[in-house]
Amino acid sequence: MGSPYADPLLDPLFTTAEAADAFGPRARLQGMLDFEAALARAEARAGVVPAAAVPAIAAACDAALYDLDALGAEAALAGNTAIPMVGHLTRKVAEADAEAARFVHWGATSQDAMDTGLVLQLHRYCDGLEADLARLADGLAALADRHRATPMVARTWLQHALPTSFGLKAAVLLDALGRDRQRLAAARGRLALQFGGAAGTLAALGDAGLRVAAALAAELSLPLPALPWHSSRDRVAEIAAALAILAGTLGTLGRDVSLMMQMEVGEAFEPAGPGRGGSSTMPHKRNPVSCAVLLATASRAPALAGGLLAAQVQEHERGLGGWHAEWQALPELARLVAGATRHAAGLVAGLTVDAERMRANLDLTRGLIMAEAVTMALGERLGRMAAHERVAEASRRAAAEGRRLRDLLAEDPAVAAVLDGAALDALFDPLHYTGSAAAFIDRALAGHRGG
């Protein structure tokens, strides 16, 4: 079997073999053929077509039997891929059973085959994506638990703010990923059978339409919607939006890790390995390869999702152009997100955390990062404004003179009168000023474990 990648030079970086295969041209055709085989079985069960017609139709519903290039050339004239597919399928069935060929695609329309085929592809894709999401979530949970007491700088507007823990940083991402998985599961649950016939009424099947629809949904193990959804594209828009939001979460992971990987920061690093993250000219380089993929996906996903949201506007009972806009955009979005998720799972599983560097970076400002902690403690004794003024003045002197804030405060008689050396030492311990971080980590872990 050949490579599933359409672009063997770039696809291995940006997607997974499983996602590429799930949305490859052969899989697209097989999804439509699976619909046709299931339709024949369902109609035979409902007494609409003779049971004798089913074996020949089912046997011909194998994508390997068809020339994709020929189908594509005909689709360029017909306007969609289902029309030539039905013609080729009918001829293939006729070779084995001319009578059975009369019942190919009975009572259905092109969009029924294409949309249901897409839904089947998406369900298969979601299975693979969820496996990587689960691995990523487990990795984040392990980091959150392992580093709950690893202090580091919390940065706001890219500047030092207050102490936090690396465990909380991982827990925040874990919590967001949990919501992403919930959104995807909900969207997947609404990916249902499409079966409405030419104008969404199943008129060609007379009073057997609803029976056939129910049997067809059962054959394909798909939800049976209340009505056909030819022009109601919220299901497609919803899965696209969920994937794009997930891409944003992954991009946040990529942004933070890439910033921590800078040599000037040096707090965390992507996994290293032969051939990974090197430079064509600089042997010393260790580039954040996975982070680049996460950020690229986060950059591309909104435009793809935006196009799919715009495509929701459809005309009457069958859209013109909007439906067509989905055919390439949704698979591209899905492939990108699958690749980014795989990269993220590997990144987190092999992340190198430099706890000593994190602690050292907390001391870069010579204690200024603890100014709020001291102000709050002093405020209980001197009043908020008086405490703020004394700490602010000491902070200005510390920055100007290159001295430690703790030492300057110890020299202040008003401070020394209410805070002795041991109290000041405790106030300048970053782990004593991480607030509810441990409790937040526990909440995120409980949510991950279903507790």
Side-chain angles (χ1 to χ4, degrees):
M1 200 173 162
S3 168
Y5 298 120
D7 183 345
L9 289 179
L10 291 178
D11 282 356
L13 176 63
F14 288 109
T15 189
T16 65
E18 296 89 341
D21 187 56
F23 288 104
R26 189 72 65 184
R28 186 190 295 269
L29 176 59
Q30 190 60 59
M32 293 188 289
L33 290 169
D34 288 344
F35 166 83
E36 297 293 345
L39 176 63
R41 291 192 296 267
E43 291 180 331
R45 284 170 54 186
V48 173
V49 305
V54 174
I57 295 174
C61 288
D62 179 352
L65 301 174
Y66 300 93
D67 182 338
L68 295 180
D69 290 333
L71 287 169
E74 292 178 36
L77 299 175
N80 70 53
T81 54
I83 293 171
M85 180 273 295
V86 171
H88 282 253
L89 173 61
T90 302
R91 290 191 290 275
K92 183 67 68 175
V93 173
E95 292 173 5
D97 186 337
E99 182 64 17
R102 294 174 50 209
F103 300 103
V104 170
H105 198 66
W106 190 263
T109 194
S110 298
Q111 190 166 356
D112 293 336
M114 291 185 67
D115 279 350
T116 300
L118 174 64
V119 165
L120 293 171
Q121 288 177 274
L122 284 167
H123 278 284
R124 174 185 168 193
Y125 163 82
C126 285
D127 286 338
L129 181 65
E130 174 53 28
D132 281 335
L133 287 172
R135 190 161 65 95
L136 172 57
D138 288 342
L140 288 170
L143 285 177
D145 198 27
R146 186 183 313 131
H147 292 284
R148 60 172 57 245
T150 301
M152 69 175 298
V153 175
R155 298 171 172 91
T156 59
W157 288 36
L158 294 175
Q159 306 302 306
H160 283 213
L162 294 173
T164 185
S165 73
F166 185 64
L168 181 58
K169 182 178 282 290
V172 169
L173 285 165
L174 174 64
D175 189 49
L177 188 68
R179 292 189 298 278
D180 289 323
R181 294 170 76 187
Q182 291 169 358
R183 274 187 287 266
L184 283 166
R188 180 183 184 176
R190 283 185 277 272
L191 290 173
L193 172 73
Q194 173 74 284
F195 187 53
T201 63
L202 290 177
L205 296 177
D207 60 6
L210 295 182
R211 295 201 314 276
V212 171
L216 180 54
E219 286 283 345
L220 294 170
S221 299
L222 291 177
L224 176 65
L227 300 97
W229 44 281
H230 291 144
S231 295
S232 298
R233 310 309 291 178
D234 56 288
R235 288 174 171 85
V236 174
E238 183 181 25
I239 193 75
L243 288 170
I245 293 170
L246 169 58
T249 299
L250 300 176
T252 298
L253 169 64
R255 182 77 75 198
D256 277 5
V257 171
S258 62
L259 290 171
M260 289 189 287
M261 271 188 74
Q262 293 182 106
M263 296 304 295
E264 296 85 352
V265 180
E267 294 176 343
F269 300 88
E270 284 191 8
R276 180 184 173 93
S279 165
S280 62
T281 59
M282 295 172 283
H284 67 283
K285 291 292 292 295
R286 183 175 175 181
N287 291 321
V289 175
S290 289
C291 292
V293 173
L294 304 189
L295 291 167
T297 298
S299 295
R300 295 172 65 186
L304 291 166
L308 289 159
L309 291 170
Q312 274 190 273
V313 180
Q314 307 247 334
E315 298 78 23
H316 302 303
E317 282 64 54
R318 188 70 55 82
L320 178 66
W323 177 44
H324 303 70
E326 299 171 356
W327 298 348
Q328 291 177 302
L330 183 57
E332 183 176 358
L333 174 60
R335 284 191 294 261
L336 285 171
V337 171
T341 302
R342 179 72 56 84
H343 272 278
L347 184 163
V348 167
L351 191 71
T352 299
V353 178
D354 190 336
E356 292 184 6
R357 186 65 173 267
M358 288 179 176
R359 184 65 182 82
N361 286 341
L362 277 164
D363 295 330
L364 286 177
T365 59
R366 302 183 182 87
L368 291 180
I369 197 169
M370 304 306 299
E372 183 188 78
V374 179
T375 300
M376 296 302 292
L378 274 178
E380 295 177 1
R381 297 164 175 82
L382 305 180
R384 189 184 68 81
M385 285 305 300
H388 186 277
E389 289 171 1
R390 288 190 174 277
V391 176
E393 175 58 27
S395 296
R396 282 192 290 271
R397 287 185 57 200
E401 299 171 16
R403 297 183 61 193
R404 299 189 66 81
L405 177 61
R406 184 237 179 263
D407 296 339
L408 286 167
L409 289 171
E411 296 170 3
D412 186 328
V415 174
V418 294
L419 293 175
D420 61 17
L424 279 173
D425 287 341
L427 286 170
F428 278 88
D429 182 347
L431 277 177
H432 289 174
Y433 203 68
T434 56
S436 300
F440 289 147
I441 291 169
D442 288 338
R443 287 183 179 183
L445 292 175
H448 171 63
R449 295 165 184 156

